[in-house]
Amino acid sequence: MNEDEAGCTSEPSPRSRKHARDSTVNGLSLDLTSSQAPAAKRSRRIHGVETTNGDPSKKSDAMDLDHNGYSHTSAMLSTDGPHQASDAEGDMDVDSDSAGGTAPDGTLIAGTNAKAADADAHDPTLQEQPTAIVATLTNGRSVGVQSDKGAAKATELGSDSRVLTLPLPGTNGDNRSSNATVTHTSWNPRDPSLLATAGEALCRIWTLPHHNHHHTHYHDLLDAAAQHVVTSMAWSPDGEYIAIATRTHAASLGRQGTVTIRTKTGELQDELPATHDWVLNLSWNPSGSLLLGVTHSDDNDTTLVVWDVKNGQPMQPFELDKAVMDAAWIDEHKFVVCGPNLIAESLIELGNIVALQRRAEAEVDQEWTSVSYDPITRTTAISTEETAMLAIVDSSKRLHCTKAHDADITGLLYQPLANPAAHSELAPRLLATSSCDGVIKIWDAKKPFTITHSLNLGRSAPAMAISFTSDGYLVAAASWNKVLIWSAEAGGTPKATWQGKEGEWLIDNVDAVNGNGEPATEEEAPATHSLSWDADGGKLAYGLRNQIAIINLRR
C-alpha cells in the first residue's frame, strides 16, 4: 500500500435501507503574480445561500515530490475573497487584451499584466528550462503550447484574449441583468463557438466566432421580470441541447424550481414538470436519453428525479432522508451519488429508480461533495471539501481513502481520453484534484494513491477551479487573477499562462458592490470560480463574479 494512503481499504457493504506522450523533466511551478492575490475562501451555494469554507490559520508545510524528485511546496491557505455582478445585451464589441509578456525561462504569459509577471520570473527559485512548441491533437486543430525541450517559444498566446464584463449592480447599465453573477461557464461539447454562462440573474448563450475575435453575439434565456438564479446546467453529450435548472425567488411566485431543455442556440424545446425544490445538479446519461436531477427541499431532504427526455416525463421521484451533493452516471441505467455520510449506487429498472445501495463502512462518514466515475477503469472517485479527503472505489468495489490536500478540495476530474479504446492497461489512469492549498495533484486511479505530478500555482494562489481539454492533453487551473496550463502527462513547468489585467480584471472585494451599489462584504459578494475548455482545446472561459475571460490559445 502506498505510504500516502490512510489505510482505510474496505469491502463493499450489502444493500442498506437507511496516447501517451514523451515524458519531460519536471520542475518547480512558476509563481507569476507580482502581488498577493486575495486569500482563498471556498464558496458553496446551498438553497440559494452561499457558504464559505476555509481555515485562515492553516498553513501548508507538506512537500509533495514529483516523479523525478523535484519538490513542490504547497501554498499557504488564506481566507479572503472577491465578487462582482452585471450584464450586456444583443451584440457586444470588446477589445482584446494586449499581447502577453515572455518570462526569461521561455514561458509565455497571456493577458496584459506581463511586466509584473516578468519581474517574478526573474526570481532564481522559479527558473525553468526553456521550452519548444508542440501541438495538441484536438479534433484536427492545433494549439500552440510548449514542450520542455529546445528554446523556441509559443507565440501570440493571449493576443486575442479578452474579458466580457456584465454591468455592475447600481450602475446605469441594463437593469434587467444589473445583479448578474457568473457561477457556471460551459462550452458546447461539439461546437467551439458556443459558450453557455449562467448564475444569479444570468442565463446566456454566447456565439464567439473564430474569424472575428472582437465582435460577440449573445442570446439571453431568462425572463427579464423574474428573479431567477440558475442552479445547474448541462449540455447533452451530442451538444444539441442544454438542460437548465432555475429557481425563482420572486415573492409573487414563491420559491419554485424549473428545468427546461433548450436547443444549442437557445430555443425552448421542452419544460419539464416543475419541482418546488432547488435543483442542485443536472446530468445526462451517456446516450443523452435520460436526465438526472438532484433536488433539495428547504428541510434539506433530497429527491432524485429522472426524466425521459423523449417524452419529457419524469419517473417516480425517489426520496432520501440524506442530502445528496453530487451524482455521476456509471452507464445508461446506473448512477452513483454522494453526500454527507453517503456513497451509494442506484439502478433504473422498468422505468423506476431502484432503492440505493449504500456503503456502510466507517470511512464513509465524511461530508462528501463531489463524485466522478471512470468507465475505462470502472473506478469511482469521491472527495470532500473542508476535510480534503479523497476516496477511490476500485474495480473490485473496495473503498480506499486518503487525506489528499492541506486545504479545501475545489475540483475533482478524470482525464478525458481522445481514444479510450486505445488506452493501455499498463498506462496510468490520471485523476486530478485541485485545492485552496495552491496545488493540483495528478493521481493514478489504478494505484491509489500514487501521485504522478504535483503542480503548483504559486505563492498564496489557491487553485479554485480546474479543467482538462477534451483530449486530456492539457490541464488548466485558475486562481483569482491568473490561469496556468500544463501538460497533464508531462507535468513540470507550465506550458502557458494568463494574467488578469490590472484595472480590467477585478479581483478584490473593494471592487464588488451589493444591490444598493455599496461596497460588498464577503457574505454579500461570495465568488464562484468556473473554468471550461472549448471543444477544440483552443479557448478557455474563466468566469468570476460579473466577468468572463475568454483566453485564446490559437496560433
Side-chain angles (χ1 to χ4, degrees):
M1 183 176 296
N2 189 285
E3 64 182 1
D4 292 314
E5 189 167 348
C8 56
T9 302
S10 55
E11 298 294 337
S13 65
R15 179 173 300 180
S16 170
R17 287 298 302 166
K18 279 266 231 221
H19 75 193
R21 296 177 186 269
D22 293 338
S23 178
T24 58
V25 177
N26 300 329
L28 293 171
S29 300
L30 295 179
D31 178 7
L32 295 168
T33 51
S34 58
S35 60
Q36 181 169 325
K41 186 171 281 189
R42 177 67 172 166
S43 299
R44 175 168 284 274
R45 185 181 294 270
I46 302 297
H47 306 309
V49 178
E50 289 268 9
T51 60
T52 51
N53 304 326
D55 182 355
S57 65
K58 284 186 180 180
K59 181 176 180 180
S60 168
D61 57 2
M63 188 76 77
D64 297 314
L65 296 181
D66 212 333
H67 75 270
N68 62 354
Y70 282 83
S71 62
H72 303 269
T73 305
S74 300
M76 182 189 300
L77 173 66
S78 44
T79 54
D80 267 350
H83 188 81
Q84 356 178 2
S86 95
D87 189 13
E89 174 68 29
D91 293 307
M92 176 186 287
D93 289 307
V94 291
D95 294 328
S96 63
D97 290 347
S98 61
T102 304
D105 65 352
T107 301
L108 194 55
I109 307 163
T112 52
N113 202 8
K115 182 177 180 180
D118 286 343
D120 238 8
H122 284 287
D123 186 335
T125 66
L126 302 176
Q127 297 303 303
E128 295 290 348
Q129 295 300 314
T131 57
I133 297 174
V134 296
T136 110
L137 301 178
T138 49
N139 299 331
R141 299 178 184 269
S142 295
V143 178
V145 293
Q146 300 177 15
S147 73
D148 291 333
K149 299 177 182 179
K153 304 168 185 176
T155 58
E156 299 181 84
L157 182 60
S159 61
D160 290 323
S161 298
R162 63 216 192 261
V163 174
L164 307 176
T165 302
L166 312 173
L168 291 167
T171 66
N172 294 323
D174 180 5
N175 291 329
R176 177 181 65 180
S177 302
S178 61
N179 294 315
T181 302
V182 181
T183 57
H184 305 276
T185 61
S186 182
W187 292 93
N188 183 288
R190 299 292 178 88
D191 187 339
S193 69
L194 296 179
L195 171 67
T197 60
E200 189 87 29
L202 174 68
C203 189
R204 177 175 294 179
I205 293 180
W206 305 78
T207 302
L208 305 171
H210 299 306
H211 62 275
N212 189 339
H213 299 299
H214 305 287
H215 185 72
T216 301
H217 176 76
Y218 60 83
H219 179 44
D220 280 319
L221 309 181
L222 286 182
D223 180 359
Q227 299 177 24
H228 287 299
V229 57
V230 175
T231 56
S232 182
M233 69 177 183
W235 289 102
S236 62
D238 62 4
E240 292 299 314
Y241 301 98
I242 186 169
I244 301 166
T246 60
R247 193 180 192 191
T248 303
H249 293 284
S252 60
L253 298 176
R255 290 186 174 181
Q256 183 175 1
T258 302
V259 176
T260 57
I261 306 292
R262 292 180 176 270
T263 67
K264 63 182 180 181
T265 53
E267 290 77 19
L268 181 63
Q269 182 74 13
D270 199 1
E271 183 169 327
L272 304 180
T275 171
H276 292 288
D277 295 322
W278 181 54
V279 183
L280 172 69
N281 179 282
L282 288 174
S283 57
W284 300 79
N285 70 344
S287 68
S289 61
L290 299 176
L291 179 66
L292 170 65
V294 178
T295 73
H296 280 207
S297 69
D298 288 333
D299 297 327
N300 210 33
D301 293 329
T302 294
T303 301
L304 302 178
V305 182
V306 175
W307 291 274
D308 185 325
V309 179
K310 289 183 178 179
N311 59 32
Q313 295 302 309
M315 299 178 184
Q316 182 66 34
F318 187 88
E319 297 181 355
L320 292 89
D321 57 356
K322 290 182 178 289
V324 172
M325 303 305 297
D326 199 12
W329 287 91
I330 294 174
D331 56 31
E332 286 297 301
H333 298 94
K334 185 185 294 185
F335 56 87
V336 57
V337 299
C338 73
N341 309 320
L342 175 68
I343 300 174
E345 291 185 5
S346 187
L347 181 67
I348 297 173
E349 289 182 345
L350 301 176
N352 290 298
I353 303 173
V354 178
L356 295 181
Q357 181 177 354
R358 305 183 186 187
R359 302 193 71 100
E361 300 94 334
E363 293 79 17
V364 173
D365 293 336
Q366 297 280 344
E367 300 285 319
W368 304 106
T369 54
S370 298
V371 62
S372 184
Y373 179 76
D374 176 44
I376 298 171
T377 55
R378 293 179 290 113
T379 60
T380 303
I382 316 101
S383 66
T384 67
E385 281 190 5
E386 290 186 350
T387 57
M389 295 296 294
L390 174 64
I392 292 179
V393 179
D394 65 23
S395 58
S396 299
K397 299 299 182 182
R398 291 173 298 184
L399 178 67
H400 309 261
C401 303
T402 192
K403 172 80 171 180
H405 287 273
D406 295 322
D408 296 14
I409 292 178
T410 58
L412 174 71
L413 293 173
Y414 279 97
Q415 177 198 35
L417 296 177
N419 185 4
H423 179 72
S424 170
E425 293 185 359
L426 301 178
R429 187 69 186 100
L430 301 186
L431 171 72
T433 57
S434 59
S435 170
C436 287
D437 62 13
V439 177
I440 300 90
K441 291 185 179 179
I442 309 295
W443 311 80
D444 183 359
K446 292 180 179 178
K447 300 177 181 179
F449 290 94
T450 301
I451 300 174
T452 64
H453 301 294
S454 188
L455 312 172
N456 203 314
L457 270 172
R459 291 185 292 268
S460 301
M464 303 304 291
I466 53 173
S467 182
F468 281 100
T469 51
S470 60
D471 66 351
Y473 176 49
L474 298 176
V475 60
S479 189
W480 292 102
N481 68 333
K482 67 178 179 180
V483 175
L484 270 63
I485 301 166
W486 293 267
S487 163
E489 295 177 2
T493 307
K495 302 298 184 186
T497 69
W498 173 85
Q499 190 94 22
K501 180 181 179 181
E502 185 176 356
E504 179 180 63
W505 184 256
L506 307 177
I507 64 165
D508 200 320
N509 261 348
V510 71
D511 298 316
V513 293
N514 59 25
N516 298 322
E518 302 168 342
T521 64
E522 172 63 24
E523 288 72 23
E524 292 174 321
T528 299
H529 304 245
S530 180
L531 190 66
S532 175
W533 286 95
D534 74 353
D536 288 349
K539 295 189 298 294
L540 269 168
Y542 177 30
L544 178 60
R545 293 186 177 162
N546 73 312
Q547 295 183 305
I548 307 139
I550 306 299
I551 304 168
N552 200 317
L553 277 76
R554 296 195 181 281
R555 291 174 52 77

